[in-house]
């Protein structure tokens, strides 16, 4: 068959009526000179294909196609946006931020700003994230999610008045959004309004029972309600566990056989393996584990890492970030790692992954360190405590079996000498009056404490009270505190209010305090240890629950049982007694750090041996009977 050659000036065979050279030949020549022309033509179809792969979970193929599109069309906003979301899902936040910033520059839409804010992880990016969300609310004033996210970001910055205003706006736009109700509850908790917070948390669980965080937050808030704890608390926990059980199939077999001299594989699950109270208590212990007895695995439920993370990471055989993994996927990973004992360090606090524990990825599961009550979850086998924090008669507060360490359930890592100066002389000797201190958050300062403190100040003329925390930076929170102080007839001229500060200047602030007044029913933990390290004792009021007895346990470790009280009258009388015994206070200030250094509260080698013994004991009890 003869095929007629089409010359340049012939009519184009496509029937367009144009000359061949001005029609199809021009297209063909362009394709030959530009090999990417064919890809550009197919961008719409390629994008659909990539989106389909992304939705189905085939992220590798989706990323490959998005990159192909961007190689020929670098300003294709939809590909920049979707690839940015994909990078977020795979924990590549620097990459996500770069892509989403490009998308915002090309198309500054509310959706693009919201997604960029979501990718901006870590304290160093908080201000940019807030600015992105402000722009999103301006571009789309009807976007309840943008208002919710902005309120949540401001909550994290301790700006509660602004946070609540945006969260209430989000609630007006969408009254049935569980996450907004959850965030409102968290604002109220930070202000010490636990019963009001519980209402919002419970409402969130009723609207959407499958979101985990309102359940966790509700249980956390109930710990501060004496009328609800432990009975109602454990009932709510049972309801939460039933929801978790409905979506899980627990493992019943594990590849965890131990040969002679093999170490136990211990998995730590936490979002706080960083500069955080959990990190402060954990660091020293990790450095003292015997690698022939214990092999450590980390499962971090938080993206943010810092200098403390960098110090402890090398101590783990394996470090896995599970922040964005589904519970089942996490459980599969841990089961495949052959973990013998899996330890939850979060309980019902932020970044909890208790929903993964319901799959029973390890044969022994334990709660320890980061939470001050039973989780109420029967899929956890043990709770690590000490005899002072959980007396024998209080075992009924726990669904887990209480396993006692002999001296303390906590071991503090002292701050380095670079940020913690040597204890200074007692300020009262220079000032001529005693300065009491409380460096707890405002949520712990309730009417009961203010009544007591007012009485103490009245009995100690010219004495002052220094309150230092991040919450007083918030205008409404500060005004509410000042109103409370006036209501309790505490002269404002005798109160020093100071904002929270970086750890070095925070620790140095103890040089201006003679002794600390602990809060009740939520006493200090890290703050008590830090005060002791700076030579400053804490007067505590012990109660009945683990939470209420935390201060008692710590002070007993350093021999300060005379700083533990059991009634409000006892608290008052001992505050007056110690305020009038400056020689005693000065002697304590000069010797407390040495005393603490050799105590169970800081002696990490001693503590770790006790913990190793406990872990092996749990393993033998569960596997050998």
């Amino acid at each position: 068959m003869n095929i007629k050659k089409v010359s340049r000036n012939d009519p184009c065979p496509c029937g367009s009526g144009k000359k061949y050279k001005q029609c199809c030949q021009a297209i063909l020549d362009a394709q030959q000179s530009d090999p990417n022309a064919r890809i550009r033509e197919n961008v719409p179809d390629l994008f659909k294909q990539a989106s389909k792969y992304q939705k189905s979970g085939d992220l590798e193929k989706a990323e490959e196609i998005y990159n192909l599109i961007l190689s020929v069309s670098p300003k294709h906003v939809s590909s920049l946006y979707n690839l940015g979301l994909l990078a977020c899902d795979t924990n590549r936040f620097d990459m996500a931020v770069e892509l989403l910033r490009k998308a915002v520059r090309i198309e500054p839409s509310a959706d693009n700003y919201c997604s960029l804010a979501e990718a901006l992880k870590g304290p160093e990016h908080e201000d940019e994230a807030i600015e992105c969300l402000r722009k999103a609310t301006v571009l789309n004033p009807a976007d309840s999610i943008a208002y919710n996210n902005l309120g949540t970001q401001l909550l994290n910055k301790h700006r509660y008045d602004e946070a609540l205003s945006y969260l209430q706006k989000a609630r007006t736009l969408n009254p049935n959004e569980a996450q907004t109700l959850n965030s409102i509850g968290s604002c109220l908790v930070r202000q010490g309004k636990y019963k009001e917070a519980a209402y919002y948390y419970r409402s969130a669980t009723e609207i959407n029972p499958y979101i985990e965080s309102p359940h966790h937050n509700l249980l956390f808030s109930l710990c501060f309600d004496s009328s609800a704890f432990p009975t109602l608390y454990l009932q709510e926990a049972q309801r939460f566990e039933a929801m978790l059980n409905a979506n899980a199939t627990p493992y019943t077999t594990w590849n965890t056989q131990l040969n002679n001299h093999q170490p136990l594989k211990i998995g730590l699950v936490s979002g706080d393996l960083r500069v955080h109270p959990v990190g402060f208590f954990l660091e020293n212990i990790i450095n003292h584990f015997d690698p022939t007895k214990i092999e450590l695995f980390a499962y971090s439920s938080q993206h943010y890492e810092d200098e403390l993370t960098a110090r402890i990471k090398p101590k783990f055989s394996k470090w896995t970030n599970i922040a964005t993994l589904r519970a089942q996927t996490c459980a599969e990973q841990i089961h495949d790692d052959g973990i013998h004992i899996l330890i939850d360090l979060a309980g019902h606090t932020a970044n909890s992954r208790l929903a993964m524990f319901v799959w029973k990825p390890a044969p022994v599961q334990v709660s320890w360190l980061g939470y001050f009550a039973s989780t109420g979850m029967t899929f956890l086998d043990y709770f690590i405590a000490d005899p002072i924090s959980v007396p024998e008669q209080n075992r009924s507060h726990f669904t887990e079996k209480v396993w006692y360490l002999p001296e303390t359930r906590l071991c503090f890592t002292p701050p380095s000498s670079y940020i913690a100066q040597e204890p200074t002389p007692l300020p009262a000797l220079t000032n001529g009056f005693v300065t009491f201190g409380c460096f707890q958050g405002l949520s712990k300062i309730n009417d009961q404490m203010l009544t007591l403190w007012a009485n103490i100040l009245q009995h100690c003329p010219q004495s002052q009270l220094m309150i230092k925390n991040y919450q007083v930076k918030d205008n409404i929170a500060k005004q509410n505190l000042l109103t409370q102080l006036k209501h309790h007839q505490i002269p404002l001229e005798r109160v020093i209010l100071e904002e929270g500060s970086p750890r070095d200047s925070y620790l140095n602030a103890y040089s201006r305090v003679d002794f600390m007044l602990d809060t009740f029913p939520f006493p200090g933990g890290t703050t008590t240890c830090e005060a002791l390290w700076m030579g400053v004792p804490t007067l505590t009021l012990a109660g009945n629950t683990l939470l209420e007895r935390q201060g008692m346990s710590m002070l007993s470790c350093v021999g300060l049982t005379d700083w533990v009280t059991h009634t409000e009258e006892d608290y008052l009388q001992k505050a007056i007694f110690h305020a009038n015994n400056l020689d005693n206070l000065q002697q304590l200030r000069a010797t407390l750090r040495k005393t603490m250094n050799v105590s169970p509260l800081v002696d990490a080698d001693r503590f770790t041996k006790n913990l190793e013994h406990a872990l092996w004991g749990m393993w033998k009890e569960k596997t050998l009977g």
Side-chain angles (χ1 to χ4, degrees):
M1 181 174 64
N2 293 323
I3 301 175
K4 184 181 177 182
K5 183 178 180 181
V6 182
S7 68
R8 289 170 52 80
N9 290 313
D10 288 342
C12 188
C14 74
S16 66
K18 296 180 182 180
K19 289 183 179 181
Y20 179 53
K21 67 180 180 182
Q22 295 169 334
C23 190
C24 288
Q25 187 182 23
I27 295 171
L28 182 62
D29 290 345
Q31 289 176 344
Q32 289 172 345
S33 63
D34 181 3
N36 291 328
R38 176 79 61 180
I39 299 172
R40 267 193 292 272
E41 277 182 32
N42 292 325
V43 161
D45 290 335
L46 288 169
F47 180 76
K48 286 179 184 177
Q49 189 179 6
S51 299
K52 185 177 178 181
Y53 280 129
Q54 188 170 8
K55 287 176 184 176
S56 68
D58 194 340
L59 302 185
E60 193 173 324
K61 285 184 179 176
E63 183 170 350
E64 183 182 339
I65 299 172
Y66 287 134
N67 281 325
L68 178 62
I69 293 170
L70 292 170
S71 71
V72 300
S73 184
K75 293 185 177 181
H76 193 264
V77 175
S78 297
S79 291
L80 289 167
Y81 180 82
N82 280 10
L83 186 54
L85 298 184
L86 188 153
C88 278
D89 290 340
T90 50
N91 301 333
R92 292 173 291 170
F93 293 102
D94 290 341
M95 173 182 167
V97 167
E98 182 182 353
L99 290 162
L100 292 167
R101 278 177 178 157
K102 286 179 183 176
V104 161
R105 283 195 294 270
I106 299 165
E107 186 181 294
S109 68
D111 284 347
N112 286 346
Y113 274 118
C114 281
S115 294
L116 175 56
E118 182 67 24
L120 289 163
K121 302 290 183 183
E124 70 275 16
H125 294 306
E126 283 178 345
D127 290 337
E128 184 182 353
I130 287 170
E131 186 58 30
C132 285
L133 291 165
R134 287 192 195 280
K135 289 177 179 177
T137 61
V138 172
L139 289 165
N140 186 359
D143 187 350
S144 64
I145 294 174
Y147 283 106
N148 175 79
N149 292 353
L150 177 54
T152 303
Q153 284 282 357
L154 291 166
L155 166 63
N156 294 335
K157 292 279 285 183
H158 312 290
R159 290 153 64 176
Y160 305 123
D161 54 341
E162 281 187 276
L164 274 171
S165 68
Y166 284 109
L167 290 168
Q168 293 293 3
K169 176 68 174 175
R171 187 186 181 200
T172 300
L173 290 167
N174 187 354
N176 294 318
E177 175 51 58
Q179 291 289 20
T180 299
L181 296 175
N182 182 52
S183 295
I184 291 172
S186 295
C187 265
L188 294 169
V189 159
R190 303 287 180 87
Q191 295 174 335
K193 299 174 182 177
Y194 295 106
K195 289 189 177 182
E196 290 178 53
Y199 165 78
Y200 283 95
Y201 291 142
R202 190 173 279 108
S203 298
T205 67
E206 290 167 357
I207 289 171
N208 190 341
Y210 301 106
I211 301 178
E212 294 165 26
S213 55
H215 289 280
H216 290 302
N217 291 335
L218 174 58
L219 288 164
F220 180 91
S221 65
L222 291 177
C223 288
F224 303 93
D225 184 352
S226 58
S227 65
F229 191 88
T231 306
L232 181 59
Y233 173 89
L234 293 175
Q235 288 172 1
E236 286 289 349
Q238 189 177 30
R239 187 166 71 96
F240 183 27
E241 182 173 359
M243 186 274 284
L244 295 176
N245 281 329
N247 299 302
T249 305
Y251 287 98
T252 55
T253 59
W254 304 269
N255 184 24
T256 52
Q257 293 77 19
L258 277 173
N259 298 322
N260 289 335
H261 310 301
Q262 277 188 303
L264 276 176
K265 289 184 176 182
I266 305 296
L268 301 181
V269 182
S270 176
D272 301 318
L273 303 174
R274 56 191 174 91
V275 173
H276 180 276
V278 168
F280 296 150
F281 282 97
L282 196 61
E283 183 176 7
N284 222 4
I285 301 166
I286 286 174
N287 290 328
H288 285 81
F289 274 120
D290 181 348
T292 67
K293 295 179 180 178
I294 301 292
E295 183 181 5
L296 292 174
F297 291 70
Y299 300 98
S300 176
S301 60
Q302 233 262 41
H303 297 295
Y304 179 67
E305 296 183 355
D306 55 26
E307 63 272 18
L308 193 150
T309 314
R311 291 197 300 270
I312 65 175
K313 250 190 179 182
K315 303 296 180 180
F316 291 85
S317 294
K318 185 177 180 181
W319 186 286
T320 305
N321 192 294
I322 61 170
T324 56
L325 299 183
R326 294 183 304 116
Q328 183 177 355
T329 308
C330 295
E332 288 170 356
Q333 174 71 69
I334 292 166
H335 186 266
D336 289 346
D337 287 340
I339 299 299
H340 298 105
I341 300 179
L342 190 64
I343 304 179
D344 171 57
L345 302 178
H348 296 295
T349 62
N351 303 304
S352 174
R353 296 308 305 265
L354 279 177
M356 175 267 296
F357 281 79
V358 75
W359 290 81
K360 196 70 174 177
V364 182
Q365 300 191 152
V366 180
S367 176
W368 174 56
L369 183 57
Y371 194 55
F372 40 74
S374 170
T375 61
M377 304 287 129
T378 59
F379 48 78
L380 287 172
D381 304 297
Y382 297 101
F383 186 99
I384 296 176
D386 59 66
I388 292 177
S389 61
V390 183
E392 195 71 31
Q393 65 269 23
N394 287 359
R395 283 178 181 250
S396 60
H397 295 178
F398 294 81
T399 53
E400 309 91 342
K401 178 177 180 179
V402 178
W403 191 286
Y404 289 105
L405 296 182
E407 295 168 310
T408 171
R409 74 183 190 98
L410 302 171
C411 184
F412 182 64
T413 306
S416 72
S417 57
Y418 296 108
I419 63 170
Q421 64 183 17
E422 288 294 315
T424 57
L426 192 73
L429 297 178
T430 303
N431 294 335
F433 57 84
V434 167
T435 302
F436 304 107
C438 177
F439 291 1
Q440 318 274 31
L442 288 186
S443 61
K444 298 182 181 182
I445 301 174
N446 53 37
D447 286 332
Q448 178 185 14
M449 294 317 308
L450 290 173
T451 300
L452 259 177
W453 293 350
N455 218 344
I456 291 168
L457 290 171
Q458 186 179 356
H459 282 82
C460 299
Q462 299 183 325
S463 62
Q464 292 193 348
L465 172 63
M466 179 178 177
I467 297 174
K468 180 180 175 69
N469 56 53
Y470 281 104
Q471 287 87 356
V472 297
K473 183 179 182 180
D474 179 79
N475 288 331
I476 287 182
K478 183 176 181 178
Q479 287 305 315
N480 286 342
L481 176 60
L482 291 172
T483 301
Q484 283 182 291
L485 292 169
K486 288 179 184 177
H487 175 74
H488 289 278
Q489 298 182 336
I490 296 176
L492 297 187
E493 65 273 14
R494 294 177 65 184
V495 179
I496 305 162
L497 295 184
E498 191 170 294
E499 292 179 12
S501 55
R503 200 176 186 210
D504 53 350
S505 56
Y506 157 78
L507 290 169
N508 288 340
Y510 284 105
S511 65
R512 292 180 279 138
V513 174
D514 294 290
F515 67 89
M516 309 302 290
L517 296 176
D518 210 352
T519 48
F520 182 89
F522 196 165
T526 309
T527 50
T528 297
C529 288
E530 287 167 334
L532 292 170
W533 188 252
M534 300 308 295
V536 182
T538 296
L539 182 69
T540 194
L541 175 58
N544 188 44
T545 67
L546 183 154
L547 172 63
E548 295 166 356
R549 299 171 69 85
Q550 185 167 262
M552 179 182 182
S553 177
M554 291 175 170
L555 293 171
S556 298
C557 284
V558 292
L560 294 182
T561 53
D562 57 330
W563 287 80
V564 177
T565 66
H566 298 275
T567 65
E568 293 182 21
E569 179 62 24
D570 191 19
Y571 187 100
L572 169 65
Q573 293 304 324
K574 284 197 173 176
I576 298 167
F577 172 80
H578 291 304
N580 286 287
N581 281 272
L582 299 188
D583 289 343
N584 229 5
L585 287 174
Q586 175 55 29
Q587 185 180 359
L588 264 181
R589 205 172 184 93
T591 59
L592 249 183
R593 184 173 291 188
K594 288 181 182 178
T595 302
M596 194 178 181
N597 231 344
V598 295
S599 75
L601 197 56
V602 169
D603 188 342
D605 184 57
R606 173 176 167 185
F607 180 90
T608 307
K609 283 183 171 63
N610 288 334
L611 183 57
E612 285 175 355
H613 182 75
L615 293 172
W616 275 100
M618 293 174 203
W619 175 254
K620 290 173 182 175
E621 182 174 272
K622 288 295 284 186
T623 57
L624 302 179

